[in-house]
Amino acid sequence: MRMEKLKGEKTLFAGVTCNNAYMKLFLVSLVLLCSLVILIMQFLPSEITLSSSTTYKLSWPQSPPPNVSSPAVRSLMTEELTSDSVVKRALTGVGSAAYLFIQMGAYRGGPNSFAVVGLASKPLHVFAKPRFICEWLPLTFHGDDNSSVTASGRTILPDSGYGRVYTVVVVNCTFSVDVGADGTGGCLVLRATTGGGSDRAAETEERFIAMEEAPGSVNVTMFSTPPKYDCLYCGSPLYGDLSPQRVREWIAYHAKLFGLKSHFVIHDAGGVHRDVMEVLRPWMEKGLLTLQDVKEQERFDGYYHNQFLVLNDCLHRYKFMAKWIFVFDMDEFIYLPSETNLEPLLESFSGYTQFTIEQLPMSNTLCQFKDYGKTSRMWGIEKLVYRDAWRKVRRDRKYAIQPRSAFATGVHISQNAAGPSLHETGGRIKYFHYHGTLAMRRDPCRELLNATKIFFDNTPYVLDETLRSVAGEVRMFELKMIGPRLSHTRE
């Protein structure tokens, strides 16, 4: 009897255990199924109706999502069966991938010529043949006379294929006669076409005003009189978290080098934060520096914060205001040997449209052990004193150009200028490059050395105190020009 009772209890226990296992499996499956249904419902419209033909018809919510307008619904292009029993397929084009043209600036190049600087769709200019037609409308134009003048626009793409969604385009408009040079006023109208690149079955044309001139606003003598500045700096777009101290010493150094008949044009693409602005303001008040806010260009996907766009706009904007325009970056310092002065040097280069400047790369981490404990109070050009000693290495160059002979420009040289270029200056002008230091918000010294030569990170370096030796003069010049306002500037 006892054995039978124990056997019955075991059977009952096994049955209960089995039932519990099935129950757990059932509950887990139910939870997973409910979760799956809830997940699917998140992606379905609010209403789904089932028609008798077993096709689903989706009806959209009553109101569109916030900040989204309700566009008109485009009709679907349908395929058709031809009389030859061929299925003729149809393709429906919707929207626009890129703007036809984005203008940044338009400037006179003479009594009968203009330059319009902007961005355009790169695929359009690479694979199609878009055209620009220039039209001058005098202020007295009424639409029913023959006083307007037209000319074909010549396009220049100066970014050497570096464009992304957009490429830089400089449109040169040269008319057969002088237009508006008498000061009567008028406007330059540009007609831009897709050239079959957008839709070969539908040529698109946009007509817009590129430039307006009020009566009496044009002084044609500016095209032949000597420029206001000997040297003008066109800066690439500044972005990121820049070091106010690096900006401070760069401006003071080059203001001293270029002299009072010079001007600096700085372009802010997001890098001129409050502390950097405090460094720029004294020089702006002295009339030595102009700051332009170009953050709007960040909307359009071009190369390197639209560097080529900004530089070409600067070239044409100040074309008749400077004898020489210099193009280099804020972590680069132009240097002339002690026996060389800038004015006679530039005069000796006057027979050339542009000249390139040799680079001397410097370490951005190596400093001298004798400066231990003092580096936080020293300028970058004082403490970073080790130069890359590799020889016969091709390095990027920067350049200066006479803008009146240039149609467009680039980052390292202009490929669109009239006249010869000089590449061998005999060591009379070079530039020291402190790569990466401009965006370094700390003391750059990471290795303190007691050597004149060293092999570090697979690169040979030699001690070079060239700029260190002139830092004191630059400090005194800054103090003389703007006083001690920037003495507490931090890295």
Side-chain angles (χ1 to χ4, degrees):
M1 275 300 283
R2 182 172 178 81
M3 291 297 294
E4 291 179 357
K5 184 177 180 179
L6 288 173
K7 185 177 181 181
E9 288 177 353
K10 290 181 179 180
T11 304
L12 178 62
F13 178 76
V16 171
T17 303
C18 184
N19 288 340
N20 285 342
Y22 281 123
M23 182 61 70
K24 289 180 180 179
L25 180 61
F26 172 75
L27 291 175
V28 170
S29 301
L30 184 61
V31 170
L32 291 176
L33 180 62
C34 292
S35 300
L36 183 61
V37 170
I38 293 172
L39 182 63
I40 293 174
M41 291 298 292
Q42 299 296 320
F43 297 95
L44 291 179
S46 58
E47 298 179 26
I48 302 181
T49 59
L50 186 63
S51 67
S52 58
S53 61
T54 70
T55 59
Y56 292 91
K57 179 180 179 181
L58 304 182
S59 59
W60 295 100
Q62 296 298 318
S63 58
N67 303 322
V68 178
S69 59
S70 298
V73 179
R74 292 180 178 269
S75 299
L76 178 67
M77 302 293 290
T78 58
E79 60 187 50
E80 61 182 49
L81 188 65
T82 68
S83 58
D84 296 332
S85 298
V86 176
V87 178
K88 184 178 181 180
R89 302 294 301 276
L91 282 73
T92 304
V94 179
S96 179
Y99 288 105
L100 182 58
F101 190 73
I102 303 163
Q103 179 178 321
M104 183 173 184
Y107 310 98
R108 268 193 178 270
N112 69 328
S113 65
F114 300 83
V116 184
V117 183
L119 297 169
S121 166
K122 182 178 179 178
L124 201 64
H125 281 264
V126 172
F127 300 108
K129 296 181 179 180
R131 296 178 297 111
F132 291 88
I133 305 298
C134 310
E135 185 177 8
W136 175 261
L137 302 180
L139 197 63
T140 56
F141 180 75
H142 298 293
D144 55 355
D145 55 30
N146 296 321
S147 57
S148 66
V149 184
T150 60
S152 296
R154 176 191 171 217
T155 58
I156 303 173
L157 277 62
D159 61 9
S160 305
Y162 281 102
R164 290 167 57 88
V165 173
Y166 291 102
T167 189
V168 178
V169 177
V170 178
V171 183
N172 178 275
C173 297
T174 300
F175 297 96
S176 58
V177 296
D178 293 352
V179 291
D182 56 359
T184 55
C187 66
L188 175 68
V189 175
L190 213 59
R191 288 156 50 192
T193 70
T194 56
S198 176
D199 186 342
R200 294 177 182 175
E203 175 81 336
T204 301
E205 179 179 299
E206 295 287 345
R207 189 168 182 259
F208 59 94
I209 295 176
M211 182 179 182
E212 292 180 307
E213 289 182 343
S217 62
V218 177
N219 180 10
V220 294
T221 60
M222 67 178 289
F223 305 126
S224 56
T225 55
K228 179 180 180 180
Y229 304 114
D230 290 337
C231 302
L232 186 136
Y233 170 76
C234 281
S236 295
L238 296 180
Y239 64 94
D241 189 16
L242 304 185
S243 166
Q245 175 59 30
R246 298 289 88 78
V247 175
R248 172 198 177 189
E249 55 194 67
W250 184 92
I251 294 177
Y253 177 92
H254 288 96
K256 180 180 184 300
L257 176 67
F258 289 149
L260 297 181
K261 286 196 66 177
S262 63
H263 196 76
F264 298 83
V265 181
I266 308 298
H267 299 95
D268 175 22
V272 182
H273 52 78
R274 182 183 63 183
D275 294 339
V276 172
M277 187 64 192
E278 290 303 310
V279 171
L280 300 181
R281 185 171 286 112
W283 300 102
M284 295 168 65
E285 293 171 357
K286 296 288 290 187
L288 202 69
L289 185 148
T290 295
L291 177 63
Q292 294 187 11
D293 183 342
V294 296
K295 291 190 285 291
E296 182 76 3
Q297 54 77 29
E298 294 289 339
R299 293 171 50 199
F300 310 108
D301 186 16
Y303 172 76
Y304 206 70
H305 302 270
N306 286 302
Q307 184 180 24
F308 284 90
L309 173 69
V310 168
L311 291 178
N312 276 276
D313 181 83
C314 187
L315 171 78
H316 288 284
R317 189 181 186 94
Y318 296 97
K319 188 170 190 174
F320 298 99
M321 295 184 66
K323 186 173 182 180
W324 290 94
I325 285 182
F326 280 76
V327 180
F328 59 103
D329 296 328
M330 262 199 179
D331 58 358
E332 300 166 344
F333 288 71
I334 303 295
Y335 173 73
L336 307 178
S338 57
E339 67 276 6
T340 304
N341 292 320
L342 185 61
E343 185 176 355
L345 177 69
L346 295 179
E347 182 62 30
S348 69
F349 293 160
S350 61
Y352 298 92
T353 297
Q354 60 185 337
F355 63 89
T356 57
I357 308 171
E358 180 186 350
Q359 178 186 167
L360 299 173
M362 301 292 289
S363 168
N364 57 11
T365 59
L366 303 181
C367 301
Q368 285 188 292
F369 185 77
K370 70 177 183 179
D371 295 327
Y372 175 76
K374 301 182 295 183
T375 57
S376 62
R377 300 187 300 274
M378 299 173 68
W379 282 21
I381 59 175
E382 290 181 288
K383 54 191 175 185
L384 294 170
V385 291
Y386 285 91
R387 175 171 52 83
D388 185 335
W390 279 124
R391 296 185 177 183
K392 297 181 180 180
V393 176
R394 183 188 178 279
R395 306 188 192 278
D396 288 336
R397 292 186 170 222
K398 295 303 167 67
Y399 70 104
I401 190 168
Q402 298 194 62
R404 297 191 184 198
S405 299
F407 306 106
T409 197
V411 175
H412 299 287
I413 196 171
S414 171
Q415 301 286 353
N416 300 278
S421 301
L422 176 64
H423 300 291
E424 297 297 333
T425 62
R428 288 181 290 171
I429 182 169
K430 300 181 180 182
Y431 75 92
F432 288 89
H433 186 194
Y434 298 84
H435 179 71
T437 58
L438 186 60
M440 198 178 293
R441 296 297 304 272
R442 56 169 174 77
D443 188 343
C445 294
R446 284 294 173 266
E447 298 286 340
L448 300 179
L449 309 175
N450 189 19
T452 57
K453 296 181 180 180
I454 189 172
F455 204 81
F456 185 81
D457 280 348
N458 299 318
T459 302
Y461 289 96
V462 296
L463 182 67
D464 189 331
E465 297 182 293
T466 302
L467 293 194
R468 180 183 179 121
S469 64
V470 301
E473 297 177 18
V474 177
R475 287 175 182 266
M476 294 301 297
F477 173 79
E478 181 196 63
L479 186 64
K480 176 183 176 182
M481 290 293 293
I482 61 175
R485 296 174 60 175
L486 303 181
S487 59
H488 298 292
T489 303
R490 303 180 64 85
E491 301 275 359

